[in-house]
Structure formats: C-alpha cells, structure tokens
Amino acid sequence: QVQLAESGGGLVQAGGSLRLSCAASGNTGTINAMGWYRQAPGKQRELVAGITLTTGGTNYAASVKGRFTISRGNAKYTVYLQMNSLKPEDTAVYYCTTDEYTGNLGAFWGQGTQVTVSP
C-alpha cells in the first residue's frame, strides 16, 4: 500500500497562486508516476497533471496548460503542483494519485485538499 499526504490548498482570489504538495510513503517502490486530479461539485473527477518520476515527462489538461506546473521534489516520491493565474473554475478538491507499476494513475489516492478561487 501507498499512503499520500497532500497539503497547500486554500482560498485565493482570481489571478492568484497556490502550490500543492504531495508526499508518498509506504510501498513506494511500486510508483513510476504521480499526478493530480480534481473534482468540482457535481462534476466528474478529472486529470489535472501527471509526471513520470524517472524521466520527468509531464502531461496536462488543456484547461490548465500554461498556468499550472507539476514538478518533482528533492525527495524521490514528492511532487508539487504550482498553480498560477487561478480562475474561479479551478475551484475543486484536488487529489494526489500514483500508479502501481503500470504508469497509469489512479492506483492510490490522497484524501484531497480543497482549492477555492473567489472572483
């Protein structure tokens, strides 16, 4: 099992910035990729960004490309999501997630952190 600890959510005005952090522990040898999903009220959970830990390769949702940056931390199983130029439509619970050997995110999930962007 992998445990994920997220931090960094909060309330910010439109145009502002937040940085989310996620640290994995437990059976981390199974992890090749980490990422962030988000879920707004009444909507499905959607991918925000992902990163392959070995290569640093990244992918982003079209809605956040150019505004959000996912990166690896100095600790091997830590990732960050830098969110700039935030919009009210970015308001959601943000979940950290990892793969389990396959590179496909969604094997393990954090508890989520709330991000609220006011107009």
Side-chain angles (χ1 to χ4, degrees):
Q1 288 291 317
V2 169
Q3 294 79 44
L4 299 171
E6 302 140 326
S7 61
L11 173 64
V12 65
Q13 287 188 327
S17 298
L18 284 173
R19 189 175 84 153
L20 306 183
S21 301
C22 176
S25 61
N27 194 18
T28 54
T30 65
I31 300 172
N32 294 296
M34 296 180 70
W36 294 90
Y37 275 66
R38 67 186 181 186
Q39 187 167 20
K43 295 189 176 181
Q44 288 190 328
R45 194 173 292 190
E46 63 175 0
L47 174 68
V48 176
I51 186 166
T52 301
L53 297 183
T54 52
T55 65
T58 59
N59 62 293
Y60 295 92
S63 59
V64 307
K65 198 171 292 186
R67 300 188 298 122
F68 290 11
T69 302
I70 189 169
S71 61
R72 297 171 291 185
N74 289 331
K76 187 172 183 181
Y77 297 105
T78 299
V79 294
Y80 302 102
L81 184 68
Q82 178 67 41
M83 304 184 293
N84 298 328
S85 301
L86 282 160
K87 304 175 181 180
E89 52 263 43
D90 295 316
T91 295
V93 178
Y94 284 69
Y95 296 92
C96 182
T97 180
T98 77
D99 73 324
E100 186 178 25
Y101 296 115
T102 65
N104 298 320
L105 298 175
F108 300 102
W109 295 90
Q111 80 284 0
T113 185
Q114 177 71 47
V115 171
T116 303
V117 184
S118 63

